[in-house]
Amino acid sequence: MQVIQNLDPGKVMQELFPKLMGSALRMVLLVTIVSFILAILIGFILALGKVSHSKVLHGIIGFFQEIIRGTPLLVQLIYIYYVFPLLIEIFAYWFGNPDYNCRISSTVAGIIGLSINYGFYISEVIRSAIESIDRGQTEAALALGFSPRQAMFKVVIPQATRQSIPVFGNYLMTLVKDTSLMAYITAPELLQTTQAYISQTFTTIESYTLVAIIYLVISMLLAALLKLVERKMSRSKR
């Protein structure tokens, strides 16, 4: 077959592989680390809002939660990158600044979208973990003179965090793979770099196979690291 005769994996390894392991991989790692940290912070804030007694806060969080859960992550990234700057320009026009020009870089848009999306999902994990802590521990802390805030942050949240770490690991692995969606907002990550190379060389099979292997290796290494962390945590509990 002509396709088999045209295969050139050596060329792809020589030309594409260094690009993927260079700036493209750094982009994936940067977006993953920053987005995951922000997602956990957002998750904790939202979880505390959900376990609060404020019905207004529950309603606001629930409204935005339905939007995040009801729309695909890809659509959210595209909306933040293409639509959100236009909305800001419209508001600027309404407030007397018609010449304001808003632009969001693809990297920033990706971090914002991934952080918010995963933050809402992680918040459910944290909320469930907080509610699973025995109420008696909070009452004991209050009896010892802790304020409700101190009981939450010094007694409940540390235990809830420890329970949530295995689930955090699963979300982290998924987040790494979801960075590939940033290719659709022109972020120079692994997939977008591969697609740009294919458009010039037409080495479709070799290039997509290479990027798939790289994602697989990253996931396997991350899974091994998370298992090591879980083992150490289980030993520390003993």
Side-chain angles (χ1 to χ4, degrees):
M1 292 179 61
Q2 188 68 26
V3 175
I4 297 177
Q5 295 175 355
N6 292 335
L7 290 177
D8 193 356
K11 177 182 178 181
V12 171
M13 289 297 297
Q14 183 178 3
E15 296 179 353
L16 178 60
F17 186 70
K19 296 180 181 179
L20 296 180
M21 298 306 294
S23 59
L25 181 59
R26 286 196 298 270
M27 167 71 74
V28 170
L29 294 178
L30 171 66
V31 171
T32 299
I33 293 171
V34 176
S35 298
F36 191 65
I37 292 173
L38 292 176
I40 291 178
L41 292 176
I42 293 171
F44 269 106
I45 293 172
L46 294 175
L48 291 174
K50 291 177 181 178
V51 298
S52 70
H53 301 292
S54 173
K55 292 183 179 180
V56 174
L57 197 56
H58 288 182
I60 294 173
I61 294 175
F63 173 75
F64 285 103
Q65 188 173 46
E66 289 301 317
I67 294 176
I68 296 300
R69 288 183 169 184
T71 56
L73 175 56
L74 178 57
V75 174
Q76 295 168 19
L77 293 175
I78 292 174
Y79 194 91
I80 292 172
Y81 183 62
Y82 291 106
V83 180
F84 194 65
L86 297 177
L87 294 177
I88 293 177
E89 290 179 3
I90 291 174
F91 280 111
Y93 176 81
W94 285 347
F95 286 96
N97 191 1
D99 298 325
Y100 181 73
N101 187 20
C102 180
R103 290 292 180 269
I104 300 178
S105 72
S106 56
T107 303
V108 172
I111 290 173
I112 292 173
L114 291 167
S115 301
I116 294 174
N117 183 278
Y118 276 82
F120 272 92
Y121 284 100
I122 287 175
S123 69
E124 280 298 302
V125 176
I126 299 172
R127 180 194 59 79
S128 299
I130 290 175
E131 292 179 346
S132 69
I133 303 300
D134 187 1
R135 177 67 183 173
Q137 297 193 36
T138 302
E139 294 174 352
L142 295 175
L144 292 172
F146 285 76
S147 67
R149 183 184 298 272
Q150 289 175 326
M152 174 62 73
F153 283 94
K154 292 185 178 181
V155 177
V156 177
I157 287 183
Q159 296 183 67
T161 302
R162 198 176 299 114
Q163 291 182 14
S164 303
I165 285 180
V167 184
F168 287 170
N170 293 333
Y171 276 118
L172 178 59
M173 290 186 62
T174 307
L175 177 58
V176 172
K177 291 176 280 189
D178 278 346
T179 58
S180 61
L181 296 176
M182 292 175 59
Y184 295 93
I185 56 173
T186 69
E189 46 71 66
L190 293 172
L191 182 58
Q192 202 275 340
T193 302
T194 302
Q195 291 173 335
Y197 179 78
I198 292 173
S199 67
Q200 298 173 355
T201 61
F202 303 102
T203 53
T204 305
I205 296 177
E206 309 95 302
S207 299
Y208 279 131
T209 301
L210 176 60
V211 75
I213 292 173
I214 291 175
Y215 273 115
L216 178 61
V217 171
I218 293 173
S219 298
M220 292 175 65
L221 291 174
L222 189 56
L225 178 61
L226 292 172
K227 286 182 180 179
L228 181 62
V229 171
E230 289 181 23
R231 285 197 198 117
K232 288 187 176 181
M233 288 188 60
S234 63
R235 290 174 185 171
S236 64
K237 290 180 182 179
R238 298 173 188 173

